[in-house]
């Protein structure tokens, strides 16, 4: 009996030894790297250190956009099985849709399977407390400090500056963002988008030792982040504030620039949005509200609103006619309040007529009949040619994304777009800035400023050039375009613009300032036909668009301002 027990004990010892030997074989021979990594997970973690984006400053160095510290909650891929297993409980703790978190994990596993995945940006105090109090249950969760964007209140310069947001699935397919991890913050619009590569900087990382509760005990190594570079703009914050205050609740846009350098001094689009909502993580409801808003607050009207310019186009018409030789000081036309062209009656805005007027008086009093005749003499081909030279029909090249080109009608354009021939009567409408012609407020400031500067058209820019901050553009437009204009043409046009503001009968006399050499041109453009407007427009907004372009001094101006009210 004792012998049998001794034999069983011996076999038990042998079996235990074999089990230990097999375990040793698995650990040391078969999969040593795998088990080493599992062991290290118990005390080592890799944490990213996001780089702060560069600040955005005005021309005097005043801060327009800064950063503030916030917390993000990340999941460690070394704990991927626990992360997937605990996903529903984590979503419940953060009050999030579990499907949203699951989609993030799947995207991150496909795109960047070894980098931590951002589960929650701009975490609240309650969410931070949830992570801290559940470290034992959820060792896969960590908190990291993330610099968040802080924009000025009330949507100040929102369309110009833009906003940042989490890099999307489509963004990661673009070469410039292909190496970013899912959840990274990038510029989505405006200057934030245009200069994202300069502003973003380079993230760092650190490897830390943690205790059994997941708390950090020591730092093994650390790679500090490289902060993004600051941008100093050409914009004057005081002028920008005055321009924005002038709109109050009205809808429209304003562009002020120095045509001698191309520097944009102010750029306003109203209504605006609050970019802080994007920096803090905009909800689906907020995004849907912005997108469906009939006033289109996300539209940058200064560079994207493509509208008929109305009578401000007469400045370009006058310069073109003088250069083409179809008008001079002796040219005049009689305005009885309307005129017949090609079997159709075209009215002047002044139903009583302006009498006989020359070019100067026609610009000062904005006589439509004079410019109807000018359009007939010039012809649509020459009108389109000169308008193109003066900056219409193509982007100016400002360093902002998604600048609109506007529409410059011509027989070739109509054939290409509609497979129809051009009718002579359409030229008459285009001659006063109506018809198919559309421009942006930036194009108006750019073209009028270039004409008043003697034919020097400098590409508009928002960033001051410096060796570390190259000025970028969204087109291949040259920094300077030179259009040959005679001194007589420039003198006649700019003297007439001065008369618009300073002479009796001028349509822009409300812009007069005693002692200042100010010129300008008003414009009113229909948004619907007269027939539709008389019928009430079937619920549409039938109010005309109002334009004004002003400059000072009248020749070689230091500032040009284009204003659109809708």
């Amino acid at each position: 009996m004792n012998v049998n027990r001794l034999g069983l004990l011996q076999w038990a010892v042998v079996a235990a030894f074999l089990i230990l030997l097999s375990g040793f074989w698995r650990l040391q021979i078969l999969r040593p790297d795998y088990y080493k990594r599992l062991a290290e997970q118990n005390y080592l973690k890799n944490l990213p250190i996001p780089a702060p984006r560069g600040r955005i400053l005005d021309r005097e160095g005043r801060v327009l956009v800064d950063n503030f510290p916030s917390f993000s909650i990340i999941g460690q891929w070394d704990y991927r099985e626990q992360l997937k297993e605990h996903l529903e409980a984590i979503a419940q703790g953060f009050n999030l849709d579990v499907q949203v978190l699951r989609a993030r994990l799947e995207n991150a596993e496909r795109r960047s399977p070894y980098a931590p995945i951002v589960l929650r940006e701009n975490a609240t105090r309650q969410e931070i407390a949830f992570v801290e109090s559940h470290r034992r249950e959820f060792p896969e969760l960590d908190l990291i400090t993330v610099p968040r964007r802080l924009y000025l209140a009330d949507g100040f310069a929102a369309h110009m500056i833009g906003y940042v947001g989490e890099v999307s699935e489509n963004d990661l397919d673009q070469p410039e963002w292909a190496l970013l991890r899912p959840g990274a913050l990038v510029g989505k619009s405006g200057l934030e988008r245009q200069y994202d590569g300069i502003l973003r900087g380079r993230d760092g990382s650190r490897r830390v030792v943690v205790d059994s509760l997941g708390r950090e005990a020591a730092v093994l190594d650390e790679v500090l982040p490289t902060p993004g570079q600051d941008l100093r703009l050409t914009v004057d914050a005081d002028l920008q504030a005055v321009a924005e205050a002038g709109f109050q609740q009205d809808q429209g846009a304003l562009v002020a620039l120095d045509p001698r350098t191309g520097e944009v001094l102010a750029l306003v689009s109203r209504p605006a949005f609050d970019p802080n909502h994007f920096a803090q993580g905009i909800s689906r409801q907020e995004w849907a509200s912005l997108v469906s808003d009939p006033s289109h607050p996300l539209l940058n009207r200064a560079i994207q609103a493509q509208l008929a310019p109305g009578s401000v186009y007469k400045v370009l018409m006058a310069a073109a006619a003088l250069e083409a030789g179809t008008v001079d000081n002796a040219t005049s036309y009689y305005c009885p309040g309307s005129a017949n062209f090609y079997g159709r009656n075209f009215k002047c805005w002044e139903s009583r007529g302006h009498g006989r007027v020359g070019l100067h008086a026609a610009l000062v009093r904005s006589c439509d009949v004079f410019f109807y005749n000018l359009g007939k003499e010039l012809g649509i081909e020459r009108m389109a040619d000169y308008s193109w030279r003066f900056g219409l029909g193509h982007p100016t090249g400002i360093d902002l994304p998604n600048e609109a080109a506007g529409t410059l009608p011509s027989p070739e354009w109509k054939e290409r777009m509609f497979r129809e021939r051009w009718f002579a009567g359409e030229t008459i409408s285009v001659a006063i800035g109506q018809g198919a012609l559309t421009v942006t407020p930036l194009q108006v400031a750019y073209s009028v400023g270039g004409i008043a500067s003697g034919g020097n058209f400098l590409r508009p820019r928002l960033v001051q050039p410096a060796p570390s901050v190259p000025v970028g553009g969204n087109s291949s437009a040259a920094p300077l375009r030179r259009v040959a204009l005679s001194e007589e043409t420039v003198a006649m046009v700019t003297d007439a613009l001065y008369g618009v503001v300073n002479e009796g009968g001028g349509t822009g006399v409300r812009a007069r300032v005693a002692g200042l050499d100010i010129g300008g041109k008003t414009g009113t453009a229909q948004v619907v036909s007269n027939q539709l407007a008389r019928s009430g427009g079937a619920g549409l907004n039938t109010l005309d668009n109002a334009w004004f372009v002003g400059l000072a001094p009248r020749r070689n101006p230091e500032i040009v301002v284009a204003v659109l009210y809708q």
Side-chain angles (χ1 to χ4, degrees):
M1 189 70 174
N2 291 333
V3 173
N4 291 336
R5 288 180 178 177
L6 180 61
L8 290 173
L9 181 61
Q10 289 175 338
W11 281 110
V13 171
V14 171
F17 179 76
L18 291 175
I19 291 172
L20 290 174
L21 185 62
S22 65
F24 176 80
W25 178 267
R26 286 199 312 272
L27 289 173
Q28 298 295 327
I29 307 299
L30 291 181
R31 304 178 66 186
D33 294 337
Y34 171 75
Y35 289 106
K36 180 181 178 181
R37 184 164 59 86
L38 287 180
E40 287 178 344
Q41 286 178 5
N42 294 325
Y43 70 96
L44 291 182
K45 283 189 177 181
N46 293 306
L47 301 176
I49 309 177
R53 288 179 73 86
R55 300 175 303 166
I56 299 180
L57 317 172
D58 87 331
R59 65 187 299 116
E60 302 296 332
R62 291 170 289 192
V63 179
L64 302 179
V65 181
D66 206 342
N67 302 297
F68 72 96
S70 71
F71 288 97
S72 285
I73 301 170
I74 63 172
Q76 295 284 354
W77 270 121
D78 288 340
Y79 295 83
R80 67 182 64 195
E81 296 306 323
Q82 294 99 316
L83 187 56
K84 293 177 180 178
E85 180 183 346
H86 300 152
L87 196 60
E88 190 167 340
I90 293 172
Q92 186 176 359
F94 295 159
N95 194 25
L96 291 176
D97 184 350
V98 67
Q99 297 303 327
V100 173
L101 285 187
R102 184 168 287 112
R104 284 195 174 201
L105 260 63
E106 293 173 353
N107 178 35
E109 191 169 20
R110 184 175 64 257
R111 289 281 186 178
S112 186
Y114 303 108
I117 172 65
V118 177
L119 300 176
R120 186 67 163 162
E121 306 90 353
N122 200 40
T124 64
R125 291 182 180 180
Q126 292 80 5
E127 291 165 344
I128 294 172
F130 176 83
V131 174
E132 293 289 1
S133 61
H134 291 79
R135 284 194 177 276
R136 185 182 293 274
E137 295 93 332
F138 306 125
E140 65 271 22
L141 298 183
D142 275 304
L143 290 169
I144 60 172
T145 303
V146 178
R148 293 283 171 184
R149 276 316 220 191
L150 180 61
Y151 300 95
L152 295 179
D154 300 323
F156 183 86
H159 294 88
M160 174 179 62
I161 292 173
Y163 61 89
V164 296
E166 183 180 332
V167 65
S168 68
E169 180 78 8
N170 292 333
D171 292 337
L172 292 171
D173 291 328
Q174 300 184 33
E176 61 183 307
W177 289 331
L179 299 179
L180 295 182
R181 56 180 174 80
L185 294 178
V186 296
K188 290 289 190 174
S189 72
L191 292 168
E192 292 276 27
R193 173 68 181 87
Q194 184 75 20
Y195 292 98
D196 181 70
I198 290 175
L199 290 165
R200 189 179 345 118
R202 182 177 297 175
D203 293 346
S205 64
R206 61 178 177 160
R207 198 158 55 116
V208 301
V209 178
V210 296
D211 60 19
S212 60
L213 296 179
R215 296 174 301 195
E216 184 176 320
V219 177
L220 290 183
D221 52 63
E222 185 175 55
V223 178
L224 295 177
T226 302
Q229 298 180 37
D230 291 347
L231 285 186
R232 177 167 287 203
L233 307 185
T234 61
V235 171
D236 185 283
D238 292 332
L239 183 59
Q240 179 77 20
V242 170
E244 297 206 4
F247 279 92
Q248 298 181 6
Q249 301 302 315
D250 294 319
Q251 184 172 295
L254 177 146
V255 177
L257 57 83
D258 184 343
R260 301 170 303 173
T261 62
E263 294 182 353
V264 177
L265 306 176
L267 190 147
V268 179
S269 178
R270 288 288 171 170
F273 59 92
D274 188 350
N276 288 298
H277 292 169
F278 291 90
Q280 296 170 11
I282 191 168
S283 68
R284 290 185 178 182
Q285 293 77 12
E286 289 175 314
W287 173 252
S289 176
L290 285 172
V291 172
S292 61
D293 192 325
S295 65
H296 305 294
L298 295 176
L299 177 71
N300 187 347
R301 287 172 165 79
I303 66 169
Q304 294 175 325
Q306 303 176 85
L307 303 167
S311 291
V312 297
Y313 182 64
K314 293 172 182 176
V315 180
L316 282 69
M317 282 289 296
L322 287 167
E323 286 299 302
T326 59
V327 67
D328 55 29
N329 269 326
T331 304
S332 66
Y333 294 102
Y334 180 74
C335 170
S338 64
N340 190 280
F341 297 92
Y342 310 110
R344 177 185 166 191
N345 191 55
F346 291 83
K347 295 181 178 180
C348 183
W349 72 268
E350 176 57 81
S351 59
R352 296 173 299 179
H354 292 99
R356 183 159 293 278
V357 291
L359 178 64
H360 182 91
L363 269 175
V364 170
R365 299 162 66 185
S366 199
C367 177
D368 291 334
V369 169
F370 183 93
F371 285 94
Y372 291 150
N373 283 280
L374 218 57
K376 180 182 178 182
E377 294 298 321
L378 263 177
I380 190 62
E381 287 86 357
R382 284 194 293 184
M383 288 165 55
D385 178 46
Y386 277 102
S387 296
W388 178 273
R389 297 190 214 176
F390 295 153
L392 303 191
H394 54 89
T396 65
I398 189 173
D399 46 343
L400 282 176
N402 304 316
E403 180 189 3
T407 301
L408 186 56
S410 67
E412 294 76 17
W413 166 83
K414 190 175 182 184
E415 175 64 29
R416 184 176 67 254
M417 296 297 296
F418 302 105
R419 296 292 187 266
E420 296 178 357
R421 68 182 182 88
W422 184 265
F423 295 101
E426 297 176 85
T427 303
I428 307 303
S429 296
V430 174
I432 62 164
Q434 295 281 180
L437 178 67
T438 63
V439 300
T440 68
L442 177 62
Q443 286 177 322
V444 171
Y446 174 73
S447 59
V448 174
I451 292 171
S453 299
N456 294 318
F457 294 79
L458 279 95
R459 183 178 65 192
R461 56 184 174 87
L462 283 159
V463 173
Q464 295 191 24
S468 59
V469 185
V471 172
N474 61 352
S475 77
S476 58
L480 170 65
R481 292 177 55 252
R482 184 77 177 90
V483 178
L485 292 178
S486 68
E487 293 184 5
E488 183 181 7
T489 294
V490 176
M492 289 184 66
V493 171
T494 54
D495 285 346
L497 296 181
Y498 178 84
V500 170
V501 174
N502 296 279
E503 294 180 10
T507 58
V509 292
R510 294 179 62 183
R512 181 189 305 163
V513 177
L516 293 184
D517 183 9
I518 299 176
K521 184 72 189 78
T522 58
T524 304
Q526 290 179 293
V527 296
V528 298
S529 66
N530 290 329
Q531 182 179 1
L532 184 57
R534 285 193 297 268
S535 68
L540 297 174
N541 177 13
T542 60
L543 296 177
D544 294 340
N545 293 324
W547 291 87
F548 179 76
V549 56
L551 63 166
R554 76 185 92 170
R555 278 195 278 281
N556 296 314
E558 300 176 11
I559 184 172
V560 176
V561 181
V563 183
L564 165 69
Y565 270 94
Q566 290 183 280

